[in-house]
Amino acid sequence: MIWTIIFMGFCGLVVVSGLYITVPITTEIESIFSTTTVSAAFSTSVFSTGYALGVLVFGPLSDRIGQKKVMTGGMVALAIVTLAISFAKTIELFLFLRSVQGFIATTFPPVALAYVLANYPPEKKAISIAVLTNGFLMAGVVAQVVSSWVTKTFSLAPLFIIFAVIYFFCFFGLKHNLNENTLNAERSLTEEWQQMIKLFTKKSLLIYYAISFTLLFSFVGMYATLGDLLSSSFGMTYAEVLAVRAVGIFGIIVSLTSGKLVNSFGLITVLKYSLSIAITGLILLIVSPLVELSIIASVICVAGIATTVPTVINIVGILGGESRGAAIALYTFILFVGASVGPVIAAASSFSVTIITLASALGISLALAQLISRESLAATST
């Protein structure tokens, strides 16, 4: 079981990498397709748009026909469309295929989370969710490093060919290691969508959805503005900034302890303290006069957010009940909406204003967490 979840964490890393691989190579895309900077930048946003639409389909579908079928079928389709991207000759076709890639990518992250919550025993759920979310978060760092190196060393096409091969490898691994699991097969997709809409009537879920928006919003927003700080205020080169991003992996690894923390202190307690840690890291970033302290502060912030993400996923999965797949799908949708908004805030504001905005957002989440009753704590800790 441990090797299966580690492999699923790897699959999560490479699938979510699809969102980030074009972030550092917009100049190369602009050159290869002889297009504008704006069109090249759309290579990331169209992926996000496709992902958002996919959430509406594959989350409910996994509740109806089973998580394994959705994940394995999706991985084959993802490999094929990713390979097709490598042959794109026009920016229009490239962007279209990127949107399809984002749509299909939704077959893994939310569905894998629902699979773990449905199939793993209570004592293993927290650590398993932490491993998966570690993969999702590490993608933001690993994907940019890999795509930059491959594209600069070879070209754009080999980048997508490499990922296509990896997706085929993931398909075979998932096919031979996952258990068959079917839920609510008697419900149609229309009924599943109706059930998804009903989830918004659950006040407790709405609180956690609000919290989830602030997580990747702060994570991506912090890194977006940190790069500007390190280059403009401390004179770091692009390679040095990328190295600082890579150091953030240590903060992500810390979240692997969330399983033991949850078992010892409960979900709600871990949620409150991890949010507090993330806010502390952001505050240190504002007051830091030294580059070394800024790097440490960024790691502290990442550690807090990386611990919060799996904790909230556990709670949402519990509250989702029989509609676990739909509840997790909505969670990931809101999570990635936050990831899309974070860089916009960073681009439109100064470093101090951005960090204050991010810290305030997490502060609101902490305030919401404080409103959760002792009854909720007991209900979500089982």
Side-chain angles (χ1 to χ4, degrees), residues 74-300:
M75 201 64 75
V76 171
L78 186 60
I80 293 172
V81 74
T82 302
L83 184 62
I85 292 175
S86 68
F87 293 100
K89 299 301 181 182
T90 65
I91 187 63
E92 291 80 11
L93 180 59
F94 180 77
L95 293 178
F96 170 73
L97 291 175
R98 279 285 288 164
S99 67
V100 175
Q101 186 188 34
F103 179 80
I104 298 173
T106 322
T107 57
F108 190 80
V111 181
L113 292 169
Y115 176 87
V116 169
L117 290 170
N119 291 276
Y120 281 52
E123 67 275 9
K124 294 185 181 296
K125 284 181 181 179
I127 183 61
S128 298
I129 292 296
V131 170
L132 274 178
T133 54
N134 260 260
F136 302 159
L137 292 171
M138 283 186 182
V141 176
V142 175
Q144 295 189 55
V145 174
V146 171
S147 65
S148 294
W149 182 81
V150 172
T151 305
K152 291 182 184 298
T153 305
F154 302 102
S155 184
L156 184 64
L159 174 66
F160 290 97
I161 293 173
I162 290 171
F163 272 93
V165 171
I166 294 174
Y167 293 147
F168 274 118
F169 169 75
C170 289
F171 159 72
F172 288 110
L174 294 173
K175 180 177 177 60
H176 293 289
N177 288 285
L178 298 185
N179 298 319
E180 295 291 345
N181 180 252
T182 301
L183 298 172
N184 302 325
E186 71 278 2
R187 290 208 303 233
S188 67
L189 273 181
T190 300
E191 291 172 322
E192 291 287 351
W193 286 325
Q194 291 173 342
Q195 190 64 32
M196 181 180 282
I197 294 173
K198 288 181 181 179
L199 292 173
F200 284 107
T201 64
K202 289 188 175 184
K203 182 180 178 181
S204 55
L205 268 178
L206 288 179
I207 291 176
Y208 293 109
Y209 284 152
I211 292 174
S212 70
F213 174 86
T214 67
L215 302 181
L216 287 193
F217 169 76
S218 301
F219 178 81
V220 179
M222 184 272 291
Y223 270 125
T225 196
L226 180 64
D228 292 335
L229 172 73
L230 296 176
S231 59
S232 61
S233 299
F234 297 108
M236 282 192 168
T237 64
Y238 175 79
E240 289 171 334
V241 172
L242 205 58
V244 171
R245 294 177 186 274
V247 172
I249 290 177
F250 291 104
I252 296 173
I253 292 175
V254 169
S255 71
L256 290 174
T257 63
S258 64
K260 292 184 178 180
L261 293 174
V262 167
N263 290 335
S264 300
F265 303 105
L267 288 166
I268 308 302
T269 299
V270 173
L271 171 63
K272 293 176 182 178
Y273 278 101
S274 58
L275 282 170
S276 299
I277 291 171
I279 294 170
T280 299
L282 290 174
I283 293 174
L284 287 175
L285 268 176
I286 297 177
V287 302
S288 170
L290 303 173
V291 64
E292 293 83 3
L293 182 57
S294 295
I295 295 172
I296 293 173
S298 69
V299 174
I300 291 173

Side-chain angles (χ1 to χ4, degrees), residues 16-36:
V16 177
S17 287
L19 172 65
Y20 299 101
I21 57 175
T22 56
V23 172
I25 58 173
T26 53
T27 301
E28 286 80 1
I29 293 173
E30 181 181 352
S31 175
I32 289 171
F33 293 107
S34 299
T35 188
T36 64

